[in-house]
């Protein structure tokens, strides 16, 4: 295990990211989809500004000092059903390779749940493309149930 300053999730700070943390967040995202093209800094700054200004959208992150080591994107969506209770989506769940299997992602997901419940969401959803049994078990251990069928369509190239 690499020499990381934080030993386990009990020692971390979890909070929303700020504009100044964009470089460390982008470095973390390289651990999510390594084949993704590197965003030009100007585009990344613009996208982060959009995210931070978007009502109901938050990037929650675990920090080891100034370094983002795990994060999720939480989107709270207003709703006209369920008595007007909103629902939430979690996307872009990632932990830096040097910090995995120590509880960071679970702690960030639990913080996302707490934020969703504070906003009166009636459910939190997550989709994963992973078929890895360990990944699926991780999400189940976080409290997710695999009781719905998800579909997606991607923009044609």
């Amino acid at each position: 295990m690499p020499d990381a300053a934080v030993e386990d999730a009990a020692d971390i700070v979890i909070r929303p990211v700020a504009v100044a943390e964009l470089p460390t967040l982008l470095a973390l995202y390289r651990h999510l989809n390594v084949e993704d093209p590197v965003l030009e800094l100007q585009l990344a700054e613009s996208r982060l500004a959009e995210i931070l200004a978007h009502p109901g959208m938050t990037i929650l992150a675990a920090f080891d000092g100034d370094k983002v080591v795990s994060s999720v994107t939480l989107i709270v969506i207003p709703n006209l059903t369920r008595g007007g209770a909103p629902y939430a989506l979690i996307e872009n769940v990632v932990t830096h390779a040097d910090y995995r299997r120590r509880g960071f992602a679970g702690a960030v997901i639990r913080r996302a749940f707490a934020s969703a419940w504070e906003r009166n969401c009636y459910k939190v959803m997550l989709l994963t493309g992973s078929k890895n049994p360990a990944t699926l078990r991780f999400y189940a251990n976080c409290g997710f149930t695999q009781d719905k069928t998800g579909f997606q369509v991607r923009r044609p190239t």
Side-chain angles (χ1 to χ4, degrees):
M1 184 179 306
D3 293 331
V6 175
E7 288 302 317
D8 63 42
D11 300 324
I12 61 169
V13 172
I14 300 172
R15 62 173 174 74
V17 298
V19 172
E21 290 145 353
L22 178 61
T24 185
L25 181 63
L26 291 176
L28 174 66
Y29 283 166
R30 300 303 306 154
H31 293 261
L32 180 61
N33 295 309
V34 295
E35 71 280 356
D36 276 0
V38 175
L39 284 180
E40 293 180 20
L41 186 57
Q42 187 174 6
L43 177 58
E45 290 170 342
S46 174
R47 289 295 185 262
L48 183 58
E50 286 179 58
I51 290 167
L52 297 178
H54 196 285
M57 195 165 186
T58 309
I59 299 174
L60 293 168
F63 289 84
D64 180 1
D66 293 335
K67 181 179 182 180
V68 176
V69 298
S70 187
S71 75
V72 304
T73 300
L74 176 69
I75 306 104
V76 175
I77 302 164
N79 190 17
L80 289 172
T81 65
R82 303 289 178 153
Y87 58 95
L89 299 174
I90 289 180
E91 183 63 55
N92 295 334
V93 177
V94 60
T95 299
H96 189 288
D98 294 345
Y99 291 79
R100 291 184 182 153
R101 302 191 57 83
R102 298 193 328 210
F104 298 110
V108 177
I109 287 173
R110 285 188 299 279
R111 178 63 61 85
F113 288 165
S115 181
W117 306 150
E118 288 168 8
R119 295 176 182 181
N120 199 34
C121 291
Y122 79 95
K123 69 179 176 182
V124 177
M125 296 183 290
L126 171 139
L127 293 172
T128 180
S130 177
K131 306 291 188 255
N132 182 329
T135 301
L136 302 179
R137 196 168 38 255
F138 164 74
Y139 288 128
N141 289 337
C142 285
F144 289 101
T145 57
Q146 202 172 5
D147 60 354
K148 290 206 172 211
T149 302
F151 293 89
Q152 70 170 341
V153 62
R154 294 192 180 232
R155 183 179 68 186
T157 56

